[in-house]
């Protein structure tokens, strides 16, 4: 895969082991898995040869997740908890965590232990070789329904062919990002975020690490079918104008159909074919044109809505509170667009 095909050829520069490793974890109603995750991270940190931190983003959980996280941060100075003011969704919560990570290698991972922490060791090796983005590629996905696997399979292929050519296949958000690349990513403040696509867009030397994905350690998926569909739609419309162009294409198609109908009517008149007053063909063409017009207007409206959202230029998220032990409270990096009250 290295520098293959149309990928930009980079000269890799070996770098030393990271001076600090950050782990960023968005969490939404993860009370069932929070304890196991804490144990896994603590064990993992003891194997890492540099100082570590973990940035936990509580994405407006409605269960006891936040109390468990605050308890953890009180016990461990390497833990920082961002408590968002409400549920902003996975991609925004991840963005909040990435904004607040201070390491020079930053790992984005889910809280459910589906992505095994030890894979990060392999990612760090690649990081030392000079790669800036090392993403986990799922060779297998345990404990997921055939239906989920199928939708994921379709999702990646459609996104790749229609939307973004360089989007790595079978890859989630589990990845390690270098400080240089993360700083570049952090300059992109668009409201409709599809992080995987944005990271592919940023460029830099990127490589995959294959791994076997586990089943969820506990709890249930926070991505319902509806959320998945809306995520796919965000991905498609925030990354390409293909849907807009598709409506032009469909318009042309319907237009051709109309011409064909006209020719047929003329031929019928010339050759004296049997002609019913032509009510059905008229209806077909009319309703086709009507539906195409409405769909096209709808798609234009969708893009207009995106422009409207961006024009408002709102902050992406609100941090209601930050919890961390006093010993470690060095807020070195300036946060983007947000309100912080650290009176927690
Ligand atoms: N998540 C979040 N906000 C949301 C939905 C999910 O922060 O609105 C988190 C969730 O807690 C988990 C990660 O995003 O850590 C991935 O979610 P999940 O495991 O449910 O997705 P799946 O692996 O089933 O695609
Ligand atoms: Mg999961």
């Amino acid at each position: 895969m290295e520098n293959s095909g149309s990928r930009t050829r980079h000269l890799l520069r070996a770098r030393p082991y990271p001076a600090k490793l950050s782990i960023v974890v968005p969490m939404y109603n993860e009370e069932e898995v929070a304890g196991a995750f804490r144990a896994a991270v603590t064990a993992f940190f003891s194997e890492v040869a540099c100082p570590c931190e973990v940035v936990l983003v509580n994405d407006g959980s409605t269960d006891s997740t936040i109390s468990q996280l605050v308890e953890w941060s009180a016990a461990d100075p390497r833990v920082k908890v961002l408590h968002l003011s409400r549920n902003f969704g996975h991609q925004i919560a991840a963005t909040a965590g990435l904004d607040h990570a201070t390491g020079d290698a930053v790992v984005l991972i889910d809280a459910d232990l589906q992505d095994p922490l030890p894979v990060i060791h392999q990612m760090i090796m690649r990081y030392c070789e000079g790669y800036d983005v090392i993403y986990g590629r799922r060779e297998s996905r345990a404990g997921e329904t055939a239906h989920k696997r199928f939708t994921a399979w379709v999702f990646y292929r459609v996104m790749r062919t229609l939307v973004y050519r360089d989007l790595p296949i079978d890859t989630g958000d589990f990845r390690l990002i270098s400080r240089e690349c993360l700083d570049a990513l952090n300059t992109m403040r668009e409201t409709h975020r599809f992080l995987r696509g944005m990271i592919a867009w940023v460029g830099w030397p990127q490589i995959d690490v294959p791994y076997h994905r586990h089943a969820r350690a506990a709890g249930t998926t926070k991505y319902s079918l509806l959320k998945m569909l809306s995520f796919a739609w965000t991905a498609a419309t925030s990354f390409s104008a293909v849907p807009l162009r598709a409506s032009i294409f469909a318009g042309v198609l319907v237009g051709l159909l109309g011409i064909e109908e006209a020719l047929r009517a003329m031929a019928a008149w010339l050759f004296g074919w049997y002609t019913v007053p032509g009510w059905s063909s008229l209806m077909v063409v009319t309703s086709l044109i009507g539906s195409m017009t409405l769909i096209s207007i709808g798609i234009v409206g969708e893009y207009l809505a995106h422009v409207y959202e961006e024009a408002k230029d709102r902050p992406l998220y609100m941090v209601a509170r930050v919890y961390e032990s006093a010993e470690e409270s060095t807020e070195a990096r300036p946060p983007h667009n947000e309100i912080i009250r650290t009176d927690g």
Side-chain angles (χ1 to χ4, degrees), residues 26-28 30 59 87 89-90 93 110-112 114 148 213 216 220-223 227:
M27 284 188 163
Y28 176 57
E30 298 288 8
D59 186 18
N87 179 254
H90 173 247
D110 292 347
D112 54 13
Q114 280 191 289
K148 166 106 192 183
R213 193 164 205 233
R216 229 174 195 282
T220 52
T221 177
K222 305 299 175 293
Y223 267 97
K227 261 193 176 175

Side-chain angles (χ1 to χ4, degrees), residues 7 11 42 51 75 109 112 117 168 177 210 256 258 261 287 309 315 324 334:
R7 291 265 192 94
L11 294 179
T42 312
I109 194 168
D112 54 13
L117 287 157
I177 311 168
L256 289 177
E261 278 298 298
S287 49
E309 292 289 338
E324 57 189 338

Side-chain angles (χ1 to χ4, degrees), residues 1 7 133-138 141 152-161 163-175 194-204 206-209 239:
M1 279 219 105
R7 291 265 192 94
V133 176
I134 303 98
Y135 47 86
R137 184 170 51 79
R138 302 155 181 175
R141 313 161 66 113
W153 189 88
V154 172
F155 177 81
Y156 292 119
R157 266 86 192 162
V158 170
M159 289 300 142
R160 211 178 148 101
T161 34
V163 174
Y164 201 65
R165 189 167 44 91
D166 287 337
L167 193 70
I169 259 170
D170 295 329
T171 308
D173 285 308
F174 179 37
R175 57 192 61 215
F194 175 50
L195 281 174
R196 278 164 240 180
M198 289 165 65
I199 294 172
W201 186 90
V202 168
W204 311 75
Q206 310 205 355
I207 191 92
D208 58 345
V209 167
F239 253 86

